[in-house]
Every structure is written in structure tokens, then in C-alpha cells.
């Protein structure tokens, strides 16, 4: 939908949104939003690039309206069965070099937490992602130095496989282990710390599997992210973390996060049993971070 149409839709559904807001507030059941970005830059725009200005506007709006928390705090609020404040967590996928120019410094400047998911082979070789090569835009990945710098300033680094493979297609346990655990081990070697979180490449239900979830469970991660567009409801296991794509502009983000009634349900069928993730949550540990939980002040549903 175009921005004007979306704005009109948001106005027309404003009353319903206000009712939902009041209900979540009084019951302490705000759903938690986990956003994912890929690349923030003003050159070589593509479907997974957002301009610096758009990113800045989104962060401004989020700071004014939401608690911006790290994934561990998001999990804590989900698992506590109670979330009485509008809450959002920020994540990035893949590991694009351009993010070191604007997006990550902006977050660090404002002391905002984020989790940065990296496919390690591209960093190791300094090579472009296959989907960018195919599109005729061989964009650079982050360097190891950049990741160490991010981590040193409180940005959490997470796993995203070694080669950005589609884990939904992997049926061989040793391949899944190599991609998932090999990527986590590589990050641990670079950063001196075992990553706590993992994001499935592509992130649709068909790109996930019980096999991969079993490998993640055995590997001791605290949680893993999908990317098919859904909220996280307080009281759910909170190990599978559902994410929402942060589209360019501001209007789509505002529409989603001010409780678009159409987007509250998650009817996706998952290729794994969420109950099998329960053992992961028992392994969660407290992680020191030097970035604050940012508290928003003025949430409006329209
Ligand atoms: Zn990815």
C-alpha cells in the first residue's frame, strides 16, 4: 500500500487500535516486536537496503514510543508472561560493511542495544553474498575488525550460518552442524565469546527445520530468530523469536507497531515443535552489556 492509503487505513482502524492498546496496558500483555534490518546505506539501493535518513527517522520514532531492549530482555519479558510496556528489539542480518558507517554508530551514540547476525564465510573471505552477485551488486561484507569493534561497544553478535544456506533444505545432521555450530565457533574465535543467538537465513517457516532446531538446542543457544513477520506474545516459550521486517520509510513501521489488527495473529505452521525449545530457555545466562535499556515515553496507537 502507498503511504497515503496506509495512513488512511491507520486512521480508520484507530479506534480498534486504541482498544487493543488499552487492553494490553491493563492486562500487561503488550506483544514484543523484534525488528530486522539488513543494510543501511545511501548507495546501491536494493530491496534489503534502507537509506540513512529513513533509519534515523525510524530510530527517532522508536525511541520516543518504545522501550528498546536487547534480545535477552525481550525474552525475559516474553517468558515472564507479562509485558506492561511497548517493547522493541533491533536486529540486523547478514553483515554488510556499510552498516559500520552510519547505522551501528548511531545506535552506539544513543546507547541502544542491537543484535547483529553474521554469515561468517563472507566475512572470512571478504566476498559478496550470492544474492547480491546475482543482482549485479557485489556489496562488501563486514571485516573481522568491524565486528570486534561492534562487539566491544556493546552490539551483540549472533550466528547466521557459515554460508547463508537454506537450512530448510538441509537433511544431513553433519551439514546442519557445520553451518550452525561452525558459524558460531568462528564468531567465538574472532570475538572471544560464544554468541547467544542465531537467526535463520531467509527466515520463513520453510527455511527452518526440526533438525536445525535440535542442533541449536544441543549447541546451547539462548534463542533463534525467524523472519516471517509476527509478534511475540507474553507467555509464549520465547525461544523462537519472531521478527518483523523494518521496511523503508516510516509509515509501514508505524502501521505494524501501532497494532495493525490484521497483523496480530500468527497462523504460520512451523516445521518444528516449539515445546522442543523449552530446554533451551533453562540454559539462559545473564550477559553483561554496556548499552542501556532505552525507555520510551509516549506510545500512541495512531
Ligand atoms: Zn540473511
Amino acid at each position: 500500500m502507498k503511504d497515503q492509503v496506509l495512513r488512511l487505513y491507520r486512521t480508520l482502524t484507530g479506534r480498534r487500535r486504541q482498544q487493543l492498546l488499552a487492553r494490553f496496558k491493563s492486562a500487561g500483555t503488550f506483544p514484543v516486536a523484534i525488528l530486522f534490518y539488513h543494510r543501511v546505506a545511501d548507495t546501491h539501493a536494493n530491496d534489503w537496503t534502507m537509506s540513512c535518513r529513513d533509519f534515523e527517522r525510524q530510530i527517532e520514532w522508536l525511541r520516543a514510543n518504545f522501550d528498546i531492549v536487547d534480545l535477552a530482555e525481550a525474552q525475559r519479558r516474553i517468558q515472564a508472561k507479562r509485558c506492561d510496556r511497548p517493547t522493541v528489539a533491533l536486529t540486523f542480518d547478514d553483515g554488510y560493511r556499510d552498516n559500520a558507517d552510519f547505522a551501528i554508530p548511531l545506535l552506539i551514540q544513543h546507547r541502544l542495544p542491537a543484535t547483529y547476525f553474521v554469515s561468517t564465510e563472507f566475512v572470512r573471505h571478504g566476498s559478496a553474498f550470492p544474492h547480491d552477485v546475482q543482482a549485479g551488486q557485489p556489496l562488501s561484507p563486514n571485516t573481522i575488525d568491524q565486528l570486534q569493534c561492534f562487539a566491544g561497544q556493546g552490539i551483540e553478535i549472533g550466528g547466521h550460518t557459515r554460508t547463508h544456506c537454506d537450512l530448510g533444505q538441509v537433511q544431513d545432521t553433519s551439514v546442519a552442524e557445520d553451518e550452525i555450530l561452525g558459524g558460531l565457533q568462528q564468531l567465538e574465535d574472532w570475538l572471544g565469546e560464544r554468541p547467544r543467538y542465531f537467526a535463520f537465513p531467509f527466515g520463513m517457516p520453510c527455511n527452518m527445520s526440526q533438525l536445525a532446531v535440535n542442533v541449536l538446542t544441543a549447541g546451547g543457544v539462548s534463542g533463534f530468530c525467524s523472519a516471517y513477520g509476527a509478534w511475540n506474545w507474553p507467555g509464549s516459550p520465547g525461544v523462537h523469536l519472531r521478527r518483523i521486517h523494518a521496511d523503508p520509510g516510516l509509515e509501514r513501521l508505524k502501521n505494524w507497531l501501532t497494532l495493525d489488527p490484521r497483523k496480530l495473529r500468527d497462523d504460520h505452521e512451523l516445521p518444528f515443535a516449539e515445546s522442543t525449545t523449552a530446554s533451551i530457555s533453562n540454559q539462559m545466562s545473564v550477559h553483561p552489556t554496556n548499552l542501556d535499556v532505552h525507555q520510551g515515553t509516549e506510545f500512541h496507537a495512531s
Side-chain angles (χ1 to χ4, degrees), residues 172-184:
D172 188 324
T173 304
S174 63
V175 175
E177 287 175 344
D178 180 52
E179 283 287 347
I180 295 170
L181 304 181
L184 294 172

Side-chain angles (χ1 to χ4, degrees), residues 68-95:
I68 302 178
V69 303
D70 66 9
L71 285 183
E73 175 62 16
Q75 276 187 303
R76 196 192 63 72
R77 294 185 185 195
I78 296 162
Q79 292 173 343
K81 301 182 182 171
R82 186 168 177 84
C83 181
D84 51 15
R85 297 181 56 81
T87 300
V88 68
L90 308 175
T91 69
F92 288 75
D93 281 8
D94 296 351

